[in-house]
Amino acid sequence: MRVLFNLFLDICLFRKGPQDTPASMALLKMCLAAYGLTSLLVLLVGIAAPVAVLQTVVDMLLLSGLLYLALRLYRYPRRFVQTLSALTGVGALLSLLALPLLFWIDGQPRGGNAEFPALLLLALMVWSIAVMAHILRHAFNVPVWVGALYALSYTLLSWQLTGWVSASGS
């Protein structure tokens, strides 16, 4: 477990890429489960459980589906397991880092000072997009700006779709 933690931490610190992730279905299943669980925990801080579950499922399907299609278009379908493992592994790790910040913000009294934890959360989101760009850059063998464009596009699309889920679940 420590080896996997170190691997995902190294990816988050831009020292390793998705090519360093083992191409293992067992690892992919574990990473998907961890990503789903941590995403759900993050969402449960602010929204009702049924909507949180639906948003988590939508996000996981969108991530997996778009990645699969893009890797097929780039003619790198064999990179799917490693890349999705890397994305979900680092996603789970970054979600765990977000949890204390979300509880800190949520625990503020009405009118309390939540600017500092909100700023930290914003920095974590920017870092998360940068890490995703790093992973996609390596997976698609494209320049860093293309990876950044894909990561930002995915993030905005995911927020839009999960926002629709949230609005329809309310």
Side-chain angles (χ1 to χ4, degrees):
M1 223 25 144
R2 184 175 184 92
V3 171
L4 288 176
F5 174 81
N6 288 337
L7 169 65
F8 295 130
L9 181 61
D10 282 344
I11 293 172
C12 286
L13 297 174
F14 310 107
R15 292 188 285 215
K16 291 192 176 179
Q19 67 275 12
D20 298 306
T21 307
S24 161
M25 283 303 291
L27 176 62
L28 176 58
K29 290 176 184 176
M30 187 178 74
C31 289
L32 282 168
Y35 180 76
L37 180 63
T38 56
S39 296
L40 185 61
L41 289 173
V42 163
L43 290 170
L44 286 172
V45 173
I47 60 175
V51 176
V53 169
L54 190 54
Q55 282 187 354
T56 300
V57 170
V58 166
D59 179 56
M60 291 175 70
L61 289 173
L62 183 68
L63 180 64
S64 303
L66 287 178
L67 179 64
Y68 179 79
L69 288 174
L71 285 170
R72 299 278 302 170
L73 287 172
Y74 274 94
R75 299 180 189 220
Y76 295 125
R78 292 186 178 174
R79 296 180 181 184
F80 178 74
V81 171
Q82 286 177 291
T83 306
L84 188 57
S85 294
L87 286 169
T88 54
V90 301
L93 183 59
L94 293 171
S95 289
L96 286 175
L97 290 175
L99 269 175
L101 297 173
L102 291 167
F103 283 124
W104 186 2
I105 292 167
D106 193 52
Q108 293 293 317
R110 194 93 170 137
N113 190 356
E115 286 86 9
F116 184 66
L119 183 62
L120 291 175
L121 191 60
L122 177 64
L124 186 61
M125 283 191 283
V126 170
W127 183 23
S128 175
I129 292 169
V131 171
M132 179 181 270
H134 169 72
I135 292 169
L136 295 178
R137 167 180 82 104
H138 286 286
F140 299 138
N141 198 26
V142 295
V144 69
W145 70 269
V146 175
L149 181 65
Y150 289 160
L152 190 56
S153 297
Y154 166 77
T155 301
L156 294 174
L157 180 61
S158 177
W159 286 347
Q160 185 66 43
L161 288 177
T162 55
W164 286 340
V165 168
S166 183
S168 66
S170 298

